[in-house]
Amino acid sequence: MNDGGGAQQRPLRVAVLGCGVVGSQVVRLVLDQAGDLAARVGRPVELAGVAVRRIDAAREIEVPDGLLTTDAAGLVAREDVDLVVEVIGGIEPARTLILSALEHGASVVSANKALLAEDGPTLFEMAAKAGRDIFYEAAVAGAIPILRPLSESLAGDRVTRVLGIVNGTTNYILDKMDTSGAGFAEALAEAQDLGYAEADPTADVEGFDAAAKAAILASLAFHSRVTAADVHREGISEVTAADIASAREMGCVVKLLAICELRTGLVGPDGTEDLDGGEAVAVRVHPAMIPLSHPLAGVRGAYNAVFVESDAAGELMFYGPGAGGAPTASAVMGDLVTAARNHVAGTRGAGESAYADRAVLPMGETRTRYHVAIDVDDRAGVLATVALAFAEHGVSIQTVRQEGRDDDAQLVVVSHWATDAQLSATVEHLRGLEIVREVTSVMRVEGGDE
């Protein structure tokens, strides 16, 4: 990019793609904090343009005359644009616009978790080729600073596990079910009434949003390329009030968790580990029971939190609002200042770190525990038959209790650690037993050492 004469005095010009909930707050902050931004960056920072779908749409803020445009492609290709903030979301046209911005010499700040989880490497490669930055702190957990700590503060440490509540909608729903006894449908309806859930909540309640964030977290934590397609995903729509109550009886609470783990040794189908097999990454999103003693158990409402375990630092907790216009814009602005400083200094950030190139384990080879509720005939030998089904698949039982009498007998079994494939095979075996009327609930249990 050619700044022309007097480049040291020329303001840095920012193009913003999108002026919705987040974009409008970014625009507001750039305008309101102009003095502070100039002091932090070393050069004035001003808006070059704001790309929108419709000029006449209602907006939360008043954008100064002449800044709004429907020509996003033209805006990012302008020679006077130094930094591009992308907050439109989705795959296209966001990908094309970001690649064009980088190609034309602008650094990029994005909040686009879906695009980064699907095709991050393409963006990183273009940024490296162009000698420009691409930052994306706002793509995961809103205002919570988690990506930079993983990529910078913990760069000299070995992260072994990242466990997160990274979707506020699902956390609100599960928290409501736990505190009020409401069913899933009732809790979802309340979340929609309060604006925590979209009219179509599929991306949240089926785990797609959390899976994209898990892919980004795993990529940074383990220095390996992980995409959303690598993440095992289950949502919360099948979680029942009975599941919540059963968790409470165990001293647990149900949360939708994004779980990223570094496994030493590849786990084989028989459940044994080949310690000479090196390291692999396991990434999954699903509802799980966690003990009330775990720090994540106390994360309430629509808040997010990420729990990080590493060799040297030990256990770290990052907590705060995970969504919303102003909180997410705060993370965008932090990246904007960093990118602007680099531009002024003529430097760029470290870029993508994927040197480890670890394999991603399939879900069947991931080690976990199960909570299984089984409606059974109330007669002699039932417990022994159920225990034998677990044993035949190499799964050890940690606890078992019987509830009800006569026609309402139910067994609740919690397993020890085993591969997910072993546990899934056990559940299918149970469903085929004559004495089993129905396997009414299957949920993983997290927390505690193996």
Side-chain angles (χ1 to χ4, degrees):
M1 179 169 179
N2 183 8
D3 280 331
Q8 294 304 313
Q9 299 303 317
R10 183 179 71 79
L12 294 179
R13 293 175 62 75
V14 180
V16 180
L17 307 181
C19 197
V21 173
V22 177
S24 62
Q25 294 303 311
V26 171
V27 170
R28 178 183 65 81
L29 290 171
V30 171
L31 295 172
D32 292 351
Q33 298 184 7
D36 287 340
L37 288 173
R40 295 167 188 164
V41 170
R43 293 258 293 278
V45 177
E46 64 181 32
L47 291 171
V50 181
V52 295
R53 289 181 181 177
R54 292 191 298 115
I55 298 290
D56 58 352
R59 295 186 173 85
E60 296 182 5
I61 63 163
E62 183 176 345
V63 180
D65 291 341
L67 289 181
L68 290 176
T69 177
T70 57
D71 184 11
L75 178 61
V76 300
R78 278 169 43 178
E79 289 190 0
D80 66 329
V81 169
D82 304 293
L83 306 166
V84 171
V85 174
E86 182 271 308
V87 286
I88 57 177
I91 306 303
E92 289 292 355
R95 173 167 43 201
T96 298
L97 292 171
I98 290 175
L99 292 174
S100 177
L102 293 167
E103 186 177 5
H104 285 87
S107 290
V108 172
V109 175
S110 176
N112 195 330
K113 55 189 172 289
L115 176 57
L116 287 157
E118 178 174 301
D119 200 19
T122 299
L123 307 183
F124 302 140
E125 288 167 7
M126 176 59 79
K129 180 180 177 181
R132 290 293 183 252
D133 287 317
I134 178 165
F135 293 123
Y136 48 98
E137 182 67 64
V140 177
I144 303 173
I146 180 60
L147 301 189
R148 193 160 296 167
L150 284 174
S151 61
E152 297 180 9
S153 303
L154 295 173
D157 204 345
R158 180 175 179 271
V159 175
T160 55
R161 196 167 192 244
V162 180
L163 188 68
I165 296 170
V166 294
N167 183 274
T169 299
T170 52
N171 199 58
Y172 178 86
I173 292 170
L174 292 172
D175 186 40
K176 184 68 177 179
M177 293 174 70
D178 180 56
T179 56
S180 72
F184 170 78
E186 181 183 350
L188 170 59
E190 181 167 329
Q192 289 172 319
D193 289 342
L194 294 172
Y196 292 138
E198 301 288 343
D200 179 1
T202 303
D204 293 322
V205 301
E206 297 302 337
F208 291 99
D209 175 83
K213 295 171 180 176
I216 295 170
L217 288 169
S219 297
L220 287 174
F222 307 132
H223 306 282
S224 301
R225 287 180 172 177
V226 179
T227 70
D230 296 318
V231 182
H232 175 83
R233 175 194 54 79
E234 297 175 26
I236 67 167
S237 58
E238 300 300 318
V239 177
T240 66
D243 293 328
I244 301 292
S246 188
R248 191 180 302 114
E249 291 178 5
M250 292 172 54
C252 293
V253 65
V254 177
K255 298 290 186 183
L256 182 72
L257 298 179
I259 304 170
C260 314
E261 297 172 308
L262 183 62
R263 302 296 310 183
T264 300
L266 299 179
V267 182
D270 61 354
T272 62
E273 291 196 29
D274 174 9
L275 296 180
D276 295 325
E279 294 178 329
V281 175
V283 193
R284 50 200 164 104
V285 167
H286 55 70
M289 298 179 180
I290 57 172
L292 292 174
S293 58
H294 195 284
L296 290 179
V299 178
R300 312 303 294 269
Y303 274 71
N304 283 191
V306 181
F307 190 75
V308 178
E309 300 174 16
S310 68
D311 284 351
E315 298 178 345
L316 304 170
M317 178 86 156
F318 301 82
Y319 169 84
T328 305
S330 171
V332 169
M333 293 300 292
D335 280 346
L336 179 63
V337 168
T338 301
R341 285 172 173 168
N342 288 349
H343 188 97
V344 170
T347 61
R348 64 183 297 264
E352 182 189 26
S353 176
Y355 69 88
D357 194 26
R358 296 181 173 102
V360 179
L361 288 178
M363 185 60 186
E365 296 181 19
T366 300
R367 293 178 64 79
T368 185
R369 292 188 295 156
Y370 269 20
H371 168 281
V372 186
I374 316 160
D375 285 345
V376 296
D377 292 340
D378 188 14
R379 55 186 166 117
V382 167
L383 180 56
T385 302
V386 168
L388 181 60
F390 277 81
E392 286 185 6
H393 296 281
V395 180
S396 175
I397 292 176
Q398 182 181 51
T399 63
V400 60
R401 71 177 187 272
Q402 181 171 341
E403 299 177 349
R405 299 292 298 174
D406 301 326
D407 293 336
D408 297 320
Q410 184 181 71
L411 293 178
V412 178
V413 180
V414 178
S415 74
H416 281 293
W417 293 90
T419 67
D420 199 78
Q422 289 174 292
L423 289 160
S424 295
T426 302
V427 171
E428 288 307 305
H429 187 159
L430 292 170
R431 288 189 168 122
L433 293 176
E434 182 182 352
I435 54 121
V436 172
R437 298 175 181 175
E438 184 181 4
V439 177
T440 59
S441 173
V442 179
M443 186 171 292
R444 294 175 184 87
V445 181
E446 298 295 329
D449 297 327
E450 291 192 40

